[in-house]
mmCIF file of all heavy atoms in Angstrom:
data_model
loop_
_atom_site.group_PDB
_atom_site.id
_atom_site.type_symbol
_atom_site.label_atom_id
_atom_site.label_comp_id
_atom_site.label_asym_id
_atom_site.label_seq_id
_atom_site.Cartn_x
_atom_site.Cartn_y
_atom_site.Cartn_z
ATOM 1 N N GLU A 1 -10.652 104.850 -82.668
ATOM 2 C CA GLU A 1 -10.392 106.260 -82.905
ATOM 3 C C GLU A 1 -10.541 106.608 -84.387
ATOM 4 O O GLU A 1 -11.000 107.700 -84.722
ATOM 5 C CB GLU A 1 -8.993 106.624 -82.419
ATOM 6 C CG GLU A 1 -8.675 108.108 -82.470
ATOM 7 C CD GLU A 1 -9.462 108.900 -81.459
ATOM 8 O OE1 GLU A 1 -9.850 108.321 -80.431
ATOM 9 O OE2 GLU A 1 -9.692 110.103 -81.686
ATOM 10 N N SER A 2 -10.211 105.680 -85.242
ATOM 11 C CA SER A 2 -10.236 105.937 -86.670
ATOM 12 C C SER A 2 -11.637 106.126 -87.238
ATOM 13 O O SER A 2 -11.782 106.636 -88.352
ATOM 14 C CB SER A 2 -9.530 104.803 -87.421
ATOM 15 O OG SER A 2 -10.190 103.569 -87.205
ATOM 16 N N VAL A 3 -12.661 105.710 -86.505
ATOM 17 C CA VAL A 3 -14.026 105.819 -87.019
ATOM 18 C C VAL A 3 -14.869 106.817 -86.251
ATOM 19 O O VAL A 3 -16.027 107.054 -86.625
ATOM 20 C CB VAL A 3 -14.740 104.446 -87.033
ATOM 21 C CG1 VAL A 3 -13.902 103.413 -87.772
ATOM 22 C CG2 VAL A 3 -15.051 103.983 -85.617
ATOM 23 N N LYS A 4 -14.334 107.404 -85.217
ATOM 24 C CA LYS A 4 -15.091 108.380 -84.443
ATOM 25 C C LYS A 4 -15.504 109.550 -85.325
ATOM 26 O O LYS A 4 -14.716 110.075 -86.098
ATOM 27 C CB LYS A 4 -14.264 108.876 -83.261
ATOM 28 C CG LYS A 4 -14.092 107.849 -82.160
ATOM 29 C CD LYS A 4 -13.316 108.419 -80.979
ATOM 30 C CE LYS A 4 -13.193 107.398 -79.865
ATOM 31 N NZ LYS A 4 -12.414 107.921 -78.715
ATOM 32 N N GLY A 5 -16.763 109.933 -85.185
ATOM 33 C CA GLY A 5 -17.295 111.016 -85.986
ATOM 34 C C GLY A 5 -17.836 110.577 -87.324
ATOM 35 O O GLY A 5 -18.487 111.366 -88.013
ATOM 36 N N ARG A 6 -17.573 109.329 -87.704
ATOM 37 C CA ARG A 6 -18.045 108.818 -88.984
ATOM 38 C C ARG A 6 -19.001 107.635 -88.828
ATOM 39 O O ARG A 6 -19.945 107.505 -89.602
ATOM 40 C CB ARG A 6 -16.867 108.395 -89.861
ATOM 41 C CG ARG A 6 -15.895 109.526 -90.176
ATOM 42 C CD ARG A 6 -14.860 109.099 -91.206
ATOM 43 N NE ARG A 6 -14.034 107.996 -90.725
ATOM 44 C CZ ARG A 6 -14.006 106.780 -91.276
ATOM 45 N NH1 ARG A 6 -14.767 106.521 -92.340
ATOM 46 N NH2 ARG A 6 -13.213 105.843 -90.792
ATOM 47 N N PHE A 7 -18.741 106.785 -87.856
ATOM 48 C CA PHE A 7 -19.573 105.610 -87.616
ATOM 49 C C PHE A 7 -20.403 105.816 -86.361
ATOM 50 O O PHE A 7 -19.939 106.421 -85.383
ATOM 51 C CB PHE A 7 -18.716 104.359 -87.433
ATOM 52 C CG PHE A 7 -17.988 103.900 -88.667
ATOM 53 C CD1 PHE A 7 -17.968 104.656 -89.825
ATOM 54 C CD2 PHE A 7 -17.318 102.685 -88.645
ATOM 55 C CE1 PHE A 7 -17.289 104.225 -90.954
ATOM 56 C CE2 PHE A 7 -16.639 102.239 -89.768
ATOM 57 C CZ PHE A 7 -16.623 103.009 -90.921
ATOM 58 N N THR A 8 -21.605 105.292 -86.382
ATOM 59 C CA THR A 8 -22.488 105.369 -85.232
ATOM 60 C C THR A 8 -23.071 103.997 -84.950
ATOM 61 O O THR A 8 -23.646 103.375 -85.840
ATOM 62 C CB THR A 8 -23.634 106.363 -85.465
ATOM 63 O OG1 THR A 8 -23.098 107.659 -85.763
ATOM 64 C CG2 THR A 8 -24.506 106.462 -84.217
ATOM 65 N N ILE A 9 -22.919 103.544 -83.728
ATOM 66 C CA ILE A 9 -23.457 102.250 -83.350
ATOM 67 C C ILE A 9 -24.724 102.460 -82.533
ATOM 68 O O ILE A 9 -24.824 103.397 -81.742
ATOM 69 C CB ILE A 9 -22.425 101.413 -82.568
ATOM 70 C CG1 ILE A 9 -22.921 99.979 -82.399
ATOM 71 C CG2 ILE A 9 -22.095 102.052 -81.226
ATOM 72 C CD1 ILE A 9 -21.844 99.020 -81.909
ATOM 73 N N SER A 10 -25.686 101.603 -82.747
ATOM 74 C CA SER A 10 -26.935 101.655 -82.009
ATOM 75 C C SER A 10 -27.456 100.238 -81.841
ATOM 76 O O SER A 10 -27.003 99.313 -82.517
ATOM 77 C CB SER A 10 -27.966 102.533 -82.724
ATOM 78 O OG SER A 10 -28.277 102.016 -84.004
ATOM 79 N N GLU A 11 -28.409 100.088 -80.954
ATOM 80 C CA GLU A 11 -28.950 98.768 -80.712
ATOM 81 C C GLU A 11 -30.439 98.829 -80.420
ATOM 82 O O GLU A 11 -30.966 99.856 -80.012
ATOM 83 C CB GLU A 11 -28.214 98.080 -79.550
ATOM 84 C CG GLU A 11 -28.232 98.852 -78.234
ATOM 85 C CD GLU A 11 -29.485 98.622 -77.422
ATOM 86 O OE1 GLU A 11 -30.086 97.536 -77.566
ATOM 87 O OE2 GLU A 11 -29.869 99.516 -76.643
ATOM 88 N N ASN A 12 -31.073 97.723 -80.658
ATOM 89 C CA ASN A 12 -32.467 97.540 -80.315
ATOM 90 C C ASN A 12 -32.524 96.298 -79.440
ATOM 91 O O ASN A 12 -32.500 95.171 -79.935
ATOM 92 C CB ASN A 12 -33.330 97.375 -81.561
ATOM 93 C CG ASN A 12 -34.810 97.334 -81.244
ATOM 94 O OD1 ASN A 12 -35.221 96.807 -80.214
ATOM 95 N ND2 ASN A 12 -35.623 97.885 -82.130
ATOM 96 N N GLY A 13 -32.565 96.518 -78.147
ATOM 97 C CA GLY A 13 -32.518 95.405 -77.209
ATOM 98 C C GLY A 13 -33.661 94.430 -77.373
ATOM 99 O O GLY A 13 -33.472 93.216 -77.246
ATOM 100 N N ALA A 14 -34.839 94.938 -77.653
ATOM 101 C CA ALA A 14 -35.999 94.070 -77.798
ATOM 102 C C ALA A 14 -35.858 93.127 -78.977
ATOM 103 O O ALA A 14 -36.413 92.029 -78.976
ATOM 104 C CB ALA A 14 -37.266 94.904 -77.935
ATOM 105 N N LYS A 15 -35.126 93.546 -79.993
ATOM 106 C CA LYS A 15 -34.942 92.734 -81.190
ATOM 107 C C LYS A 15 -33.571 92.063 -81.242
ATOM 108 O O LYS A 15 -33.242 91.413 -82.232
ATOM 109 C CB LYS A 15 -35.137 93.591 -82.437
ATOM 110 C CG LYS A 15 -36.532 94.173 -82.577
ATOM 111 C CD LYS A 15 -36.672 94.979 -83.853
ATOM 112 C CE LYS A 15 -38.074 95.539 -84.002
ATOM 113 N NZ LYS A 15 -38.218 96.330 -85.262
ATOM 114 N N ASN A 16 -32.787 92.240 -80.184
ATOM 115 C CA ASN A 16 -31.439 91.671 -80.137
ATOM 116 C C ASN A 16 -30.640 92.033 -81.383
ATOM 117 O O ASN A 16 -29.987 91.187 -81.996
ATOM 118 C CB ASN A 16 -31.497 90.150 -79.976
ATOM 119 C CG ASN A 16 -32.137 89.722 -78.674
ATOM 120 O OD1 ASN A 16 -32.022 90.404 -77.660
ATOM 121 N ND2 ASN A 16 -32.810 88.580 -78.696
ATOM 122 N N THR A 17 -30.695 93.292 -81.736
ATOM 123 C CA THR A 17 -30.088 93.763 -82.966
ATOM 124 C C THR A 17 -29.137 94.918 -82.694
ATOM 125 O O THR A 17 -29.419 95.786 -81.864
ATOM 126 C CB THR A 17 -31.169 94.220 -83.957
ATOM 127 O OG1 THR A 17 -32.031 93.120 -84.260
ATOM 128 C CG2 THR A 17 -30.548 94.723 -85.249
ATOM 129 N N VAL A 18 -28.029 94.914 -83.398
ATOM 130 C CA VAL A 18 -27.093 96.022 -83.339
ATOM 131 C C VAL A 18 -26.878 96.536 -84.756
ATOM 132 O O VAL A 18 -26.819 95.755 -85.709
ATOM 133 C CB VAL A 18 -25.755 95.606 -82.690
ATOM 134 C CG1 VAL A 18 -25.053 94.529 -83.517
ATOM 135 C CG2 VAL A 18 -24.853 96.818 -82.502
ATOM 136 N N ASN A 19 -26.800 97.850 -84.880
ATOM 137 C CA ASN A 19 -26.616 98.478 -86.178
ATOM 138 C C ASN A 19 -25.364 99.334 -86.161
ATOM 139 O O ASN A 19 -24.985 99.902 -85.137
ATOM 140 C CB ASN A 19 -27.819 99.349 -86.529
ATOM 141 C CG ASN A 19 -29.116 98.569 -86.559
ATOM 142 O OD1 ASN A 19 -29.245 97.591 -87.294
ATOM 143 N ND2 ASN A 19 -30.088 98.996 -85.762
ATOM 144 N N LEU A 20 -24.747 99.423 -87.307
ATOM 145 C CA LEU A 20 -23.579 100.278 -87.471
ATOM 146 C C LEU A 20 -23.789 101.135 -88.709
ATOM 147 O O LEU A 20 -23.730 100.632 -89.831
ATOM 148 C CB LEU A 20 -22.304 99.452 -87.600
ATOM 149 C CG LEU A 20 -21.002 100.255 -87.666
ATOM 150 C CD1 LEU A 20 -20.735 100.949 -86.334
ATOM 151 C CD2 LEU A 20 -19.832 99.354 -88.042
ATOM 152 N N GLN A 21 -24.058 102.402 -88.486
ATOM 153 C CA GLN A 21 -24.198 103.347 -89.579
ATOM 154 C C GLN A 21 -22.823 103.887 -89.916
ATOM 155 O O GLN A 21 -22.164 104.498 -89.066
ATOM 156 C CB GLN A 21 -25.139 104.487 -89.193
ATOM 157 C CG GLN A 21 -25.321 105.549 -90.265
ATOM 158 C CD GLN A 21 -26.029 105.022 -91.487
ATOM 159 O OE1 GLN A 21 -26.981 104.261 -91.366
ATOM 160 N NE2 GLN A 21 -25.561 105.417 -92.664
ATOM 161 N N MET A 22 -22.385 103.659 -91.131
ATOM 162 C CA MET A 22 -21.059 104.058 -91.559
ATOM 163 C C MET A 22 -21.185 105.151 -92.612
ATOM 164 O O MET A 22 -21.677 104.910 -93.713
ATOM 165 C CB MET A 22 -20.281 102.863 -92.115
ATOM 166 C CG MET A 22 -20.176 101.696 -91.137
ATOM 167 S SD MET A 22 -19.107 100.356 -91.735
ATOM 168 C CE MET A 22 -20.067 99.796 -93.149
ATOM 169 N N ASP A 23 -20.743 106.327 -92.263
ATOM 170 C CA ASP A 23 -20.779 107.474 -93.156
ATOM 171 C C ASP A 23 -19.361 107.926 -93.471
ATOM 172 O O ASP A 23 -18.408 107.582 -92.780
ATOM 173 C CB ASP A 23 -21.572 108.624 -92.532
ATOM 174 C CG ASP A 23 -23.025 108.288 -92.277
ATOM 175 O OD1 ASP A 23 -23.640 107.623 -93.137
ATOM 176 O OD2 ASP A 23 -23.554 108.705 -91.224
ATOM 177 N N SER A 24 -19.255 108.723 -94.504
ATOM 178 C CA SER A 24 -17.952 109.247 -94.918
ATOM 179 C C SER A 24 -16.914 108.140 -95.028
ATOM 180 O O SER A 24 -15.797 108.239 -94.511
ATOM 181 C CB SER A 24 -17.481 110.321 -93.930
ATOM 182 O OG SER A 24 -18.406 111.385 -93.854
ATOM 183 N N LEU A 25 -17.291 107.091 -95.703
ATOM 184 C CA LEU A 25 -16.428 105.926 -95.813
ATOM 185 C C LEU A 25 -15.120 106.255 -96.524
ATOM 186 O O LEU A 25 -15.078 107.089 -97.436
ATOM 187 C CB LEU A 25 -17.150 104.803 -96.552
ATOM 188 C CG LEU A 25 -18.205 104.064 -95.726
ATOM 189 C CD1 LEU A 25 -19.115 103.249 -96.636
ATOM 190 C CD2 LEU A 25 -17.536 103.154 -94.703
ATOM 191 N N LYS A 26 -14.087 105.575 -96.087
ATOM 192 C CA LYS A 26 -12.764 105.721 -96.657
ATOM 193 C C LYS A 26 -12.272 104.365 -97.137
ATOM 194 O O LYS A 26 -12.687 103.331 -96.625
ATOM 195 C CB LYS A 26 -11.785 106.266 -95.620
ATOM 196 C CG LYS A 26 -12.175 107.602 -95.020
ATOM 197 C CD LYS A 26 -11.182 108.013 -93.941
ATOM 198 C CE LYS A 26 -11.546 109.351 -93.331
ATOM 199 N NZ LYS A 26 -10.581 109.749 -92.267
ATOM 200 N N PRO A 27 -11.374 104.347 -98.107
ATOM 201 C CA PRO A 27 -10.830 103.063 -98.564
ATOM 202 C C PRO A 27 -10.223 102.236 -97.429
ATOM 203 O O PRO A 27 -10.274 101.004 -97.470
ATOM 204 C CB PRO A 27 -9.762 103.478 -99.581
ATOM 205 C CG PRO A 27 -10.284 104.774 -100.134
ATOM 206 C CD PRO A 27 -10.912 105.467 -98.949
ATOM 207 N N GLU A 28 -9.682 102.880 -96.415
ATOM 208 C CA GLU A 28 -9.093 102.175 -95.291
ATOM 209 C C GLU A 28 -10.126 101.443 -94.445
ATOM 210 O O GLU A 28 -9.764 100.631 -93.590
ATOM 211 C CB GLU A 28 -8.306 103.144 -94.402
ATOM 212 C CG GLU A 28 -9.169 104.197 -93.726
ATOM 213 C CD GLU A 28 -8.349 105.268 -93.029
ATOM 214 O OE1 GLU A 28 -7.680 106.048 -93.752
ATOM 215 O OE2 GLU A 28 -8.353 105.321 -91.790
ATOM 216 N N ASP A 29 -11.404 101.714 -94.668
ATOM 217 C CA ASP A 29 -12.466 100.997 -93.968
ATOM 218 C C ASP A 29 -12.729 99.627 -94.582
ATOM 219 O O ASP A 29 -13.495 98.841 -94.024
ATOM 220 C CB ASP A 29 -13.760 101.808 -93.977
ATOM 221 C CG ASP A 29 -13.648 103.104 -93.206
ATOM 222 O OD1 ASP A 29 -13.037 103.097 -92.122
ATOM 223 O OD2 ASP A 29 -14.176 104.130 -93.689
ATOM 224 N N THR A 30 -12.128 99.353 -95.703
ATOM 225 C CA THR A 30 -12.312 98.075 -96.379
ATOM 226 C C THR A 30 -11.856 96.916 -95.501
ATOM 227 O O THR A 30 -10.800 96.970 -94.871
ATOM 228 C CB THR A 30 -11.541 98.051 -97.702
ATOM 229 O OG1 THR A 30 -12.107 99.015 -98.598
ATOM 230 C CG2 THR A 30 -11.615 96.680 -98.358
ATOM 231 N N GLY A 31 -12.661 95.880 -95.467
ATOM 232 C CA GLY A 31 -12.314 94.707 -94.696
ATOM 233 C C GLY A 31 -13.525 93.831 -94.466
ATOM 234 O O GLY A 31 -14.628 94.130 -94.917
ATOM 235 N N VAL A 32 -13.306 92.754 -93.761
ATOM 236 C CA VAL A 32 -14.391 91.876 -93.365
ATOM 237 C C VAL A 32 -14.854 92.298 -91.981
ATOM 238 O O VAL A 32 -14.050 92.375 -91.049
ATOM 239 C CB VAL A 32 -13.964 90.398 -93.355
ATOM 240 C CG1 VAL A 32 -15.124 89.512 -92.907
ATOM 241 C CG2 VAL A 32 -13.483 89.976 -94.740
ATOM 242 N N TYR A 33 -16.127 92.568 -91.864
ATOM 243 C CA TYR A 33 -16.707 93.018 -90.608
ATOM 244 C C TYR A 33 -17.431 91.857 -89.937
ATOM 245 O O TYR A 33 -18.253 91.182 -90.554
ATOM 246 C CB TYR A 33 -17.675 94.173 -90.851
ATOM 247 C CG TYR A 33 -16.984 95.486 -91.136
ATOM 248 C CD1 TYR A 33 -16.221 95.657 -92.290
ATOM 249 C CD2 TYR A 33 -17.083 96.555 -90.251
ATOM 250 C CE1 TYR A 33 -15.571 96.843 -92.543
ATOM 251 C CE2 TYR A 33 -16.440 97.752 -90.496
ATOM 252 C CZ TYR A 33 -15.682 97.891 -91.645
ATOM 253 O OH TYR A 33 -15.041 99.088 -91.891
ATOM 254 N N TYR A 34 -17.112 91.659 -88.675
ATOM 255 C CA TYR A 34 -17.672 90.555 -87.914
ATOM 256 C C TYR A 34 -18.547 91.078 -86.786
ATOM 257 O O TYR A 34 -18.095 91.893 -85.974
ATOM 258 C CB TYR A 34 -16.571 89.684 -87.315
ATOM 259 C CG TYR A 34 -15.684 89.014 -88.336
ATOM 260 C CD1 TYR A 34 -14.528 89.625 -88.790
ATOM 261 C CD2 TYR A 34 -16.015 87.759 -88.839
ATOM 262 C CE1 TYR A 34 -13.713 89.010 -89.725
ATOM 263 C CE2 TYR A 34 -15.206 87.138 -89.765
ATOM 264 C CZ TYR A 34 -14.051 87.766 -90.209
ATOM 265 O OH TYR A 34 -13.245 87.148 -91.131
ATOM 266 N N CYS A 35 -19.752 90.604 -86.735
ATOM 267 C CA CYS A 35 -20.622 90.919 -85.613
ATOM 268 C C CYS A 35 -20.165 90.142 -84.387
ATOM 269 O O CYS A 35 -19.721 88.992 -84.489
ATOM 270 C CB CYS A 35 -22.064 90.568 -85.954
ATOM 271 S SG CYS A 35 -23.247 90.968 -84.644
ATOM 272 N N TYR A 36 -20.288 90.777 -83.256
ATOM 273 C CA TYR A 36 -19.838 90.210 -81.991
ATOM 274 C C TYR A 36 -20.915 90.403 -80.935
ATOM 275 O O TYR A 36 -21.549 91.461 -80.863
ATOM 276 C CB TYR A 36 -18.533 90.895 -81.574
ATOM 277 C CG TYR A 36 -18.269 90.929 -80.091
ATOM 278 C CD1 TYR A 36 -17.609 89.878 -79.456
ATOM 279 C CD2 TYR A 36 -18.663 92.019 -79.330
ATOM 280 C CE1 TYR A 36 -17.349 89.918 -78.099
ATOM 281 C CE2 TYR A 36 -18.405 92.064 -77.968
ATOM 282 C CZ TYR A 36 -17.749 91.015 -77.360
ATOM 283 O OH TYR A 36 -17.492 91.064 -76.017
ATOM 284 N N VAL A 37 -21.109 89.390 -80.126
ATOM 285 C CA VAL A 37 -22.044 89.502 -79.018
ATOM 286 C C VAL A 37 -21.480 88.757 -77.819
ATOM 287 O O VAL A 37 -20.876 87.688 -77.963
ATOM 288 C CB VAL A 37 -23.439 88.950 -79.397
ATOM 289 C CG1 VAL A 37 -23.371 87.471 -79.785
ATOM 290 C CG2 VAL A 37 -24.426 89.141 -78.258
ATOM 291 N N ARG A 38 -21.636 89.362 -76.680
ATOM 292 C CA ARG A 38 -21.219 88.711 -75.439
ATOM 293 C C ARG A 38 -22.456 88.399 -74.608
ATOM 294 O O ARG A 38 -23.250 89.292 -74.297
ATOM 295 C CB ARG A 38 -20.252 89.581 -74.650
ATOM 296 C CG ARG A 38 -19.973 89.049 -73.244
ATOM 297 C CD ARG A 38 -18.739 89.642 -72.633
ATOM 298 N NE ARG A 38 -17.538 89.104 -73.266
ATOM 299 C CZ ARG A 38 -16.313 89.251 -72.773
ATOM 300 N NH1 ARG A 38 -16.131 89.926 -71.658
ATOM 301 N NH2 ARG A 38 -15.271 88.739 -73.415
ATOM 302 N N ILE A 39 -22.593 87.144 -74.258
ATOM 303 C CA ILE A 39 -23.705 86.664 -73.455
ATOM 304 C C ILE A 39 -23.148 85.822 -72.321
ATOM 305 O O ILE A 39 -22.483 84.815 -72.562
ATOM 306 C CB ILE A 39 -24.703 85.833 -74.278
ATOM 307 C CG1 ILE A 39 -25.249 86.654 -75.449
ATOM 308 C CG2 ILE A 39 -25.848 85.346 -73.402
ATOM 309 C CD1 ILE A 39 -26.153 85.875 -76.375
ATOM 310 N N ASP A 40 -23.397 86.242 -71.122
ATOM 311 C CA ASP A 40 -22.976 85.494 -69.939
ATOM 312 C C ASP A 40 -21.493 85.122 -70.008
ATOM 313 O O ASP A 40 -21.113 83.953 -69.865
ATOM 314 C CB ASP A 40 -23.833 84.240 -69.782
ATOM 315 C CG ASP A 40 -23.651 83.580 -68.437
ATOM 316 O OD1 ASP A 40 -23.275 84.268 -67.468
ATOM 317 O OD2 ASP A 40 -23.897 82.356 -68.349
ATOM 318 N N ARG A 41 -20.671 86.111 -70.262
ATOM 319 C CA ARG A 41 -19.221 85.983 -70.285
ATOM 320 C C ARG A 41 -18.693 85.125 -71.433
ATOM 321 O O ARG A 41 -17.513 84.749 -71.427
ATOM 322 C CB ARG A 41 -18.697 85.437 -68.954
ATOM 323 C CG ARG A 41 -19.122 86.243 -67.733
ATOM 324 C CD ARG A 41 -18.506 85.699 -66.462
ATOM 325 N NE ARG A 41 -18.754 84.267 -66.300
ATOM 326 C CZ ARG A 41 -19.872 83.751 -65.813
ATOM 327 N NH1 ARG A 41 -20.858 84.556 -65.443
ATOM 328 N NH2 ARG A 41 -20.006 82.436 -65.704
#
């Protein structure tokens, strides 16, 4: 909820890539960001 309207997630299935566009960044967004993928459970 804290990032709705500011962050946009998208993917390119053919390239197995996910992107996160982060706009209107706030200091509270500071942290370590970890990519996550689920494959076959």
Side-chain angles (χ1 to χ4, degrees):
E1 187 69 26
S2 62
V3 307
K4 288 183 178 179
R6 300 188 298 116
F7 292 8
T8 302
I9 190 168
S10 61
E11 57 84 27
N12 186 325
K15 297 182 179 180
N16 297 328
T17 300
V18 63
N19 301 303
L20 185 67
Q21 178 66 41
M22 304 186 294
D23 298 320
S24 301
L25 284 164
K26 302 177 180 180
E28 65 189 68
D29 295 319
T30 294
V32 179
Y33 284 66
Y34 298 91
C35 182
Y36 153 88
V37 60
R38 170 163 287 193
I39 302 175
D40 192 25
R41 305 183 307 278

